[in-house]
Amino acid sequence: MSAAAIVDTDPVSQPTASVGLSNRFAWLQGLKSPKTLVGLIILAFFVLLAIFGPIFAPYDPSSVSWETLQPPSAAHWLGTTQAGQDVFSQMLYGARISIIVGFCAALLATVVSVVVGLVAGYLGGLTDDLLSLLANVFLVLPSLPLAVILVSLLPKSGSAGIILIIAITGWAWGSRVLRAQTMSLRRRDFVEAARATGERTAKIILHDIMPNEMAIIASSFLGTVTGAILTQASLSFLGLTSVSEWSWGTILYWAQVNSALLMGAWWWFIPAGLAIALLGTSMSLINFGIDEFINPRLRQANAGTKAQAKARRAEAKARKLGAVGLPTRDKVLPPEDHPDSSVVLDVRDLVFGYGVGDDATVAVNHVSFQVRRGEVLGIAGESGSGKSTLANAIARLYRPAATTISGQLLYTNAAGATTDVLTMSDEELRRFRWDELSVVFQSAMNALNPVLTIGTQIDDVLRAHRADMTKAERETKIRELLGLVGIQSDRVRAYPHELSGGMRQRAMIAIGLALDPEIIIMDEPTTALDVVIQRQIIEQLIRLKDELGFTIIFITHDLSLLMELSDTIAIMYAGRLVECSPTRQFYQHPVHPYSQGLLRSFPTLSGAKRELTGIPGSPPDLRHLPPGCPFAPRCDQATERCQEHKPDLRQVMVDNTTIQVACHSLEIPTQPKEDAHVQQH
Amino acid sequence: MSSNIEPAILSAHEVSKHFRVRGRGFAKAGHLHAVDGVSLDLYAGQITALVGESGCGKSTLARLLAQMYSLTAGEVVFQGATAQASRASAFRRYVADVQLMLQDPYGSFNPVATIEQHLTRAIKVHHPKASRAEVAQIAEDLLRQVHLEPPRQFLDKFPHELSGGQLQRCSIARGLAANPKVFLADEPVSALDVSIRLGVLNLLRELTEVHDVALLYVTHDIASARYFAADTAVMYAGHMVEHGDSEAVTQTPAHPYTRLLIDSAPDPNRPRGTTERTDVGAPPSLIDPPTGCRFHPRCPLATKLCSTTEPPVAVLAPGGQSSAGRPHWAKCWLYSQAPAGFIGPTQQTSTNANTPHRTKEKSDGITK
């Protein structure tokens, strides 16, 4: 379920109905990058020069005159050589050869490296061994000396020969990169899916592998162009090409032969050197934008980032000035404001959003709930419902992209002092996390540091937060913690990759428990695990909770797991809390139509088979929410009012139990449950 | 539903797949016994669920049936003939009839190609003579069949612009392009949200019924097998341990592993705290699998016999109505007579160091 989770934590990747430009021309957005644009303009200038230059050249580049070694003047824009030749004309003619050689050699080298890299990477086995050997041989040979040797072996050193030699010496590196990329793409599902449709190997390479490597191919091509122009110049400079054929390299050759540097004739060599450097720069600039050209996903994602960054900066500034968002209030509230000290966390009207303008997404929308000491609160919702954002918001672990934050997060510690987590300073926050609240994430492999042992990682947490503990005390504590979660203490020195998925998740829980926190937030902690291991971990967790008395906020999409595990269930939909009630009550009488739909969606193992009807449609795009209840488009009980007005979360009595629900249907007298009555709160 | 006499359309007969594992560092090289001597029959118009934990070989078995992997031993029989798809052209003919559908809807689409390009390619493989207009027509029809309407709106989209459920429907549409007789769906809904899953499963069921397709539903969610499949087969560590009518397998599980799997699955009907159990360990390494019944190191009921000899098929109940007459069986010594020469199924028996009956299938140790 990792894919689902990825979507959940990354609101930008929500499926969208509309893309700015039509897909066919969307790649043009790559031009929006100023770097790419500048690079392309420089390149276009040189290409035009190569095509039309000789037509406009004022002189024949080879014709000698008496005006020797003249500095730049109106007659000779770039001065003259020792033989009285016009440097400007030489530059114009030279552009043609330099660019042709550069591009043709790069094209040839890229074609060879693509063919070799893709074939070797895709087919593998003996083909791969042989082709890789060949590439490696070329890689270890220094390319310029090799080129020099090859040139001297050529019978005729025309441009065609030079192109061939540059291509021969330049393909190997690209092929290595492409081979590695192909080998990882080969294992991707879409390649297997294409194979499963019976597609031919050649077509798979052409249609599935190559388009995904276009960015690398293009950037390797651009790099090779620069390299080829340089190599050509070097070879010419060394006098290894036909010196009567004008290229930027031959200009440099003649300048060097005639000691232009010694005579201070800077105009003779600087233009050629500058032209080569400029062309190389343009290639690098184009390279910056190449990803946006090729990856359809980046084209879209990139659009908002700049505006977002700007808004973030503005907001940070405003906050510094105390103008935005968080109302100033006393941090520690008097106890009488909070008569019920059994409430450990009181979330009041929490709002949490990303992005600005069209991309603005409110991931957590006016959410309020309370968690009691020692209870298990289960938060369930689909991908994109905001449940993971809520978890991150409570721990204040949100990424910098968060742009709107408001509401209160009142935390009451064991001594009865209440603090608003949202107004904590960085130092208070550091103490609050781990000491009072810890978070266990879904992917233990990503959350654990792969190069440190499990013991060291727990030790790090202890050292950072319990400076007064001695080494021996810490060691005892580590063993005790591992014992608690059911890891044998001889695994202290194990690295994460040496543990199974279940063991890693236990290690994560051990780290979460290290400082005896009051609250543990678990964000899909068992989703990646098999049911048998999941069951073992959940049982262990409940045992620990009963022993140590902490509070668990358990977030998952697996409603059936929550029903078994939690005391209270909160259902989120499109960033809102739609229902929050005691688990048993929820299972027997779900009130919100979405809750009812969820319960009709999953199959049960025991008892009689129920009719499964599911929920029609799919969750809304958070960026384009309907004006009324976000569930209204999928709701079979929706009325006109639901389409227009968002229902508030209210307390309602159902079966003598107080629950919270956000639905208009409960205010209509003809609602299904006759014993429910509304109590305005 | 199919009648008793109808033969299986696609069968695996005692198939095995061993992967070569390269030794790394001091770890020795060996063979990963992903699937060992497994048989399974699929019938037209019927859904068969294949259930097990990750690494039990269920996905490998689906790929063996799809001829994506070569067999180490055994044979795959399609419509009465041994399927031999080692050559590319034969494989193409084979996949026209037997389509594999993958788990991850996001991963199984090429991120740089539109849905139309994906469908067009699949259509061209199987309808090479179709004109451009015909291909476009077929693509729209396919999307209509999987209830993505209006089709035009979806054809232009890139994979990342669609939701998981919509992509999985596109994946089904791509599979339908070949007009297959068998659909092998590897965890088709595991990556989807609960409220979306049901729609995709119902679509698969509808296609099974409308096109009389045989469907293998590979899943780790045994509860969904109960609702969705006529038959359920349970795999553990490369072996098939139980098979039968889905209702029978889930309500009266016979093999201790099936019971563990069902006890572990979340079930809101079960009150909290009723399943207190000790640590039951993890599945074994398949490079050096346990002898006898592969579940014996974790089994609370294991005897000496279980650790030495693989149990035979024990038929527990004759076929019921819904499974078209196929019996409910389990491979467990609880339900079989100990072979002659073995003294008692009790744990105390310490005689019999080398039993003369077939010890773990050394015979099919042929490897690729």
Side-chain angles (χ1 to χ4, degrees), chain A residues 1 19 382 539 543 587 606, chain B residues 161 190 195 267 269 275-276:
Chain A
M1 215 109 330
V19 193
E382 296 177 271
E539 277 172 9
R543 255 200 309 277
Y587 183 51
S606 56
Chain B
E161 294 172 279
S190 306
S195 76
D267 186 358
N269 286 338
T275 56
E276 197 68 15

Side-chain angles (χ1 to χ4, degrees), chain A residues 1 3-4 7 13-17 19 23-24 188-190 192-200 203-204 207-208 211-212 294-297 299-300 376 381-383 506 530-536 539 542-543 545 557-558 560-561 563-567 584 587 598 600-610 612-615 617-619 634, chain B residues 52-54 63 68-69 91-92 95 98-100 102-104 106-112 114 116 118 121-122 124-126 156-158 160-163 166 174 189-198 202 220-224 226-227 247 250-251 257 260-272 275-281 283 298:
Chain A
M1 215 109 330
V7 171
S13 64
Q14 278 295 304
T16 95
V19 193
N23 284 325
R24 219 159 287 259
R188 293 276 294 276
D189 277 357
F190 64 83
E192 195 178 10
R195 276 179 59 210
T197 59
E199 192 74 272
R200 286 162 204 275
K203 274 216 165 156
I204 292 176
H207 284 113
D208 287 312
N212 280 292
I294 283 145
N295 192 334
R297 191 166 180 156
R299 283 172 213 157
Q300 191 185 331
V376 182
E382 296 177 271
S383 314
R506 285 163 197 253
D530 277 316
V531 281
V532 178
I533 298 162
Q534 166 174 298
R535 159 84 38 201
Q536 289 170 19
E539 277 172 9
I542 294 302
R543 255 200 309 277
K545 184 197 76 97
H557 66 279
D558 189 347
S560 44
L561 177 66
M563 304 258 223
E564 257 194 79
L565 172 75
S566 59
D567 302 305
R584 201 103 300 263
Y587 183 51
L598 277 180
R600 284 194 308 260
S601 291
F602 71 88
T604 50
L605 256 178
S606 56
K609 275 198 203 180
R610 295 180 307 172
L612 300 182
T613 50
I615 305 173
S618 49
R634 299 172 76 185
Chain B
E53 288 178 275
S54 48
R63 279 165 181 73
M68 297 284 281
Y69 293 156
F91 176 69
R92 262 195 297 287
V95 294
V98 180
Q99 280 278 326
L100 178 70
L102 300 172
Q103 169 179 12
D104 179 8
Y106 302 94
S108 56
F109 282 86
N110 186 345
V112 299
T114 61
E116 182 164 29
H118 280 105
R121 280 177 61 191
K124 277 187 178 156
V125 170
H126 301 289
D156 288 339
K157 292 275 191 291
F158 282 104
H160 71 266
E161 294 172 279
L162 298 182
S163 71
Q166 290 167 335
R174 176 162 66 175
V189 295
S190 306
L192 305 179
D193 273 315
V194 183
S195 76
I196 310 293
R197 280 182 195 175
L198 199 65
N202 283 337
H220 64 267
D221 179 10
I222 194 166
S224 70
R226 178 191 181 201
Y227 276 76
E247 196 62 16
T250 53
Q251 300 308 301
Y257 174 67
L260 173 68
L261 199 62
I262 286 174
D263 283 349
S264 301
D267 186 358
N269 286 338
R270 176 168 42 211
R272 193 164 125 190
T275 56
E276 197 68 15
R277 246 178 299 94
T278 46
D279 198 332
V280 287
R298 296 172 78 186

Side-chain angles (χ1 to χ4, degrees), chain A residues 9 47 83 293 359 472 507 530 577 624 655 671:
Chain A
T9 51
V47 168
F293 269 108
D359 272 342
D530 277 316
L577 204 61
H624 307 100
D655 302 343
Q671 43 95 10

